[in-house]
């Protein structure tokens, strides 16, 4: 935490130092040091406490509401994508045939840019009478399932072959091998993926909001403020900072859950618990 | 138990792979192991010792011949949880305590009174003080003792061991051999033990099966005929040395064939 604060101040110092030196020397490359292109950090912060528009809410309150809105979509996408990615990896680890047949499509899915996918999802979602927020969550899930699927699959395959033979010698059922050996072995991999997915889910939600025509999220704010860049660039910068913060908070929460889960001894899964059978 | 031998193999063969990758790991294995025996499999690397053990455990399927375990097919014996197995690597689950590792097979087999059973097994391998420890907090020898406790926790009639002490230092190894003999006598388990060490095979076994490579086959069967309990005195006796010499010469003869 301390190192994070130190780095924050160093970054601010570099930003302000650049402005100072470039202004003194009259340099304009690579970036002009003027207050529109590179506003002062304190101006960005002050902007947060000004009304968005005349008589409106303070920018920070407006952005907080938008963050909450976007985070909710992102979280839903994160959950949907996480479950889908996990399910996919379990299918793939069970059947090499399925893995070989479908893995190329899973990989290909990520080479299609999300801005191409997003409008399609919104249109199809509309046809299917999906609520708009669900369409946005699906767009976000499209980005989040991939790291989970790939990493979980690696994790499920990580146990030593002798550990699998040991389970076989106990005549363990596939379900027991999964929950008592493979999933606990995969947990560190899964959490690595979830951290990537957490940031990806925010990006997915931001982009999904645009074709969905949502005015209440951070996505719209970013778009609007970037169109007003010339007039009031500080607004865009302030919003970018808040957006980044949303991602950081999400990842931090995942990291905390990871620490709790991977702490010695709490990594086990009772098969009985998972399947609702009575414990003996 | 029953009158049929615990392990009965007739003309048993195993071939891995096809075409140019074809490896005939075992050919024409005839072997009877009676209840209560302690049988060691010894032979040069690649002669199929592990493969034979894995055939008995139904971890790989046989290619030809007959094999029964407790009078049943190896698969049925495995499904009936007739055997426990210990590998060279302890293969404990990192996220489980020592106790929970020993309880693993009991959980899968839905056995009752798991913690009591685990506690008494840990008592048997003298690790009660480490019940709450995690595998990485134990020495190699202690980990292997946990693996043995885990293999015996559900009281299988047959214990399969594949070079279980191969990674241990000489001192620990001798202690573990003593320990395994004690467990064998206390639990009346039949043991099939794979090893590279001639003294180890002679010290532990009632019978030593000498094998030879390319193709893997049995070339000799030697009754050790040393009285139990075997102790440090056994290791220093002339009869012990004579047996070691006998096995060594048999191995050399098998190699030349
Ligand atoms: N899964 C497998 N696929 C292909 N070949 C195998 C496989 N397992 C064993 N073999 C081959 O079968 C032969 C016997 O192997 P095995 O592991 O049984 O020997 P071993 O006597 O246990 O040797 P070591 O003393 O080195 O452990 C070897 O030639 C090995 O390459
Ligand atoms: Mg071997």
């Amino acid at each position: 935490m301390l190192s994070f604060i130190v780095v924050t101040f160093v970054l601010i110092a570099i930003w302000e130092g650049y402005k100072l030196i470039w202004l003194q020397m009259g340099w304009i490359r690579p970036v002009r040091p003027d207050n529109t292109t590179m506003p002062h950090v304190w101006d960005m912060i002050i902007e947060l406490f000004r009304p968005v528009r005349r008589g409106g809410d303070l920018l920070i309150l407006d952005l907080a509401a938008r963050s909450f809105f976007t985070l909710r979509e992102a979280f839903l996408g994160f959950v949907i994508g996480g479950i889908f990615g996990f399910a996919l990896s379990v299918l793939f680890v069970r059947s090499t045939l399925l893995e070989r047949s479908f893995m190329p499509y899973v990989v290909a899915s990520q080479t299609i840019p999300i801005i191409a996918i997003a409008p399609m999802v919104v249109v199809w979602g509309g046809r299917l009478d999906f609520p708009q927020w669900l369409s946005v969550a699906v767009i976000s899930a499209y980005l989040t399932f991939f790291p989970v699927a790939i990493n979980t699959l690696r994790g499920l395959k990580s146990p030593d072959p002798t550990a699998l033979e040991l389970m076989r010698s106990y005549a363990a059922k596939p379900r027991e091998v999964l929950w008592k050996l493979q999933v606990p072995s995969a947990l560190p991999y899964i959490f690595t993926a979830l951290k990537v997915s957490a940031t990806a889910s925010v990006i997915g939600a931001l982009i999904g909001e645009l074709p969905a025509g949502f005015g209440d999220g951070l996505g719209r704010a970013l778009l609007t403020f970037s169109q007003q860049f010339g007039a009031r660039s500080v607004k865009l910068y302030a919003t970018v900072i808040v957006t980044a913060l949303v991602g950081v908070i999400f990842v931090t929460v995942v990291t905390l859950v990871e620490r709790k889960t991977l702490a010695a001894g709490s990594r086990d899964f009772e098969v009985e618990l998972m399947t609702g059978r009575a414990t003996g | 138990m029953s009158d049929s031998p615990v392990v009965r193999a007739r003309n048993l063969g195993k071939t891995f792979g096809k075409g140019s990758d074809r490896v005939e790991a075992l050919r024409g294995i005839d072997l009877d192991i009676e209840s209560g025996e302690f049988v060691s499999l010894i032979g040069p690397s690649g002669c199929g010792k592990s493969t034979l053990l894995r055939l008995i455990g139904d971890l790989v399927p046989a290619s030809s011949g007959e094999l029964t375990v407790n009078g049943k097919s190896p698969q049925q014996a495995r499904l009936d949880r007739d055997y426990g197995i210990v590998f060279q690597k302890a293969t404990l689950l990192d996220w489980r305590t020592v106790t929970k590792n020993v309880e693993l097979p009991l959980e899968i087999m839905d056995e009752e009174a798991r913690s009591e059973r685990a506690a008494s097994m840990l008592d048997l391998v003298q690790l009660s003080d480490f019940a709450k420890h995690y595998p990485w907090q134990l020495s190699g020898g202690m980990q292997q003792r946990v693996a043995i406790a885990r293999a015996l926790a559900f009281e299988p009639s047959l214990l399969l061991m594949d070079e279980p002490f191969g990674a241990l230092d000489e001192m620990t190894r001798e202690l573990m051999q003593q320990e395994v003999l004690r467990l064998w006598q206390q639990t009346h388990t039949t043991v099939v033990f794979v090893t590279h060490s001639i003294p180890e095979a002679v010290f532990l076994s009632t019978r030593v099966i000498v094998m030879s490579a390319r193709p893997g086959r049995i070339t000799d069967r030697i009754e050790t005929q040393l009285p139990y309990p075997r102790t440090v005195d056994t290791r220093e006796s002339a009869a012990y040395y004579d047996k070691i010499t006998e096995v060594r010469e048999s191995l050399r003869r098998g190699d030349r064939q």
Side-chain angles (χ1 to χ4, degrees), chain B residues 45-46 48-51 88 162-163 194 196:
Chain B
S45 188
K49 304 179 294 291
S50 299
T51 303
Q88 179 167 355
D162 193 351
E163 296 187 52
V194 170
H196 268 137

Side-chain angles (χ1 to χ4, degrees), chain A residues 160 162-163 165-172 176 180-181 184-185 264-265 267-268 270 272 277, chain B residues 54 58-59 78-79 81 83 85 87 89 91 93 95-96 104-105 107-110 134 150 154:
Chain A
D160 202 279
T162 46
E165 290 196 326
L166 196 68
M167 296 303 269
R168 183 175 159 88
S169 82
Y170 302 148
E176 290 164 325
K180 286 188 188 289
L181 177 65
S185 307
R267 202 160 134 190
D268 228 328
E270 283 294 324
E272 289 82 357
R277 247 170 62 202
Chain B
R54 291 149 57 86
D58 187 39
L59 299 176
R78 177 175 63 82
L79 295 177
R81 282 103 180 208
Y83 75 88
I85 191 161
F87 301 99
K89 266 200 274 180
T91 326
L93 305 185
W95 54 91
R96 285 178 170 242
L104 176 71
E107 284 172 24
I108 290 169
M109 297 174 195
D110 233 347
Y134 283 89
R150 180 180 60 186
F154 51 100

Side-chain angles (χ1 to χ4, degrees), chain B residues 206-232:
Chain B
T206 52
R207 197 149 58 106
V208 178
I209 306 294
V210 181
M211 297 176 66
S212 160
R214 276 171 301 270
R217 62 201 186 278
I218 296 177
T219 52
D220 207 355
R221 300 145 203 267
I222 298 172
E223 303 275 346
T224 56
Q225 291 165 327
L226 302 167
Y228 291 96
R230 294 179 183 175
T231 60
V232 182

